[in-house]
Amino acid sequence: GAVVSQHPSWVICKSGTSVKIECRSLDFQATTMFWYRQFPKQSLMLMATSNEGSKATYEQGVEKDKFLINHASLTLSTLTVTSAHPEDSSFYICSVEGGSNQPQHFGDGTRLSIL
Amino acid sequence: TQLLEQSPQFLSIQEGENLTVYCNSSSVFSSLQWYRQEPGEGPVLLVTVVTGGEVKKLKRLTFQFGDARKDSSLHITAAQPGDTGLYLCADRGSNYKLTFGKGTLLTVNP
């Protein structure tokens, strides 16, 4: 069964809207989760590392005020795309870190389309 | 910044054919992983290799890691339509961060 649940799977909204995406770890407590963005026919690009109980660590070039990450519990991280614009349209994927001898488990992604 | 180059970018073959895809890094891999991603889904881990020269087999898939730990190949024997997907190599670096290549989009036609 699924280890990571990501919701919603698909969202369409108007420009200027803020959109929240949830990533839940179903099987174990996760102190570390990751958020990726994938444009069509391109690879996954790491956006940020979500740390339970502390601030997220953002990759270079990713606006932290644009992409708000909250990891308030050991099973839930949320990514909020604030004031979304068409260029933010993408496939957003989260993953849960399993530890040194375990793989990362990925969610099924959220297709975000901004009109 | 590490760069992972994958080739070919696209590959379309007939069922039953063999194929090889490649992954080359600008620097030594910490831990090389191969993933397969299907449309509208997250990537799924196929294998992890860490030792130079290592060869791992997973049914019809054979993974090779170069001696210098900067390149890898994935060979699929007798491809099936179910093998269709985006094959991604990645380096699992410090703090468990993954750096992905751009992938090879494989289509296996019945």
Side-chain angles (χ1 to χ4, degrees), chain B residues 5-61:
Chain B
E5 296 288 339
Q6 289 190 244
S7 62
Q9 188 175 358
F10 301 98
L11 186 58
S12 180
I13 61 172
Q14 293 300 121
E15 183 175 1
E17 292 183 356
N18 302 329
L19 67 112
T20 302
V21 298
Y22 301 91
C23 174
N24 291 282
S25 174
S26 58
S27 57
V28 173
F29 281 96
S30 299
S31 175
L32 166 65
Q33 297 185 325
W34 281 95
Y35 291 81
R36 181 171 66 217
Q37 183 183 21
E38 299 189 21
E41 298 182 9
V44 175
L45 179 66
L46 297 174
V47 75
T48 300
V49 286
V50 295
T51 305
E54 187 173 5
V55 177
K56 283 194 174 180
K57 291 190 175 183
L58 181 64
K59 296 184 180 179
R60 294 177 292 102
L61 277 61

Side-chain angles (χ1 to χ4, degrees), chain A residues 45-59:
Chain A
M45 296 297 295
L46 179 65
M47 298 176 65
T49 303
S50 176
N51 306 297
E52 187 270 336
S54 64
K55 292 182 179 180
T57 305
Y58 290 83
E59 296 300 301

Side-chain angles (χ1 to χ4, degrees), chain A residues 38 43 59 97 99 102 104 108, chain B residues 37 40 92 96-97 100-101:
Chain A
Q38 186 176 30
S43 189
E59 296 300 301
E97 175 53 45
Q102 299 295 324
Q104 277 187 27
D108 279 342
Chain B
Q37 183 183 21
R92 182 177 165 100
Y96 308 122
K97 288 185 177 181
F100 284 91

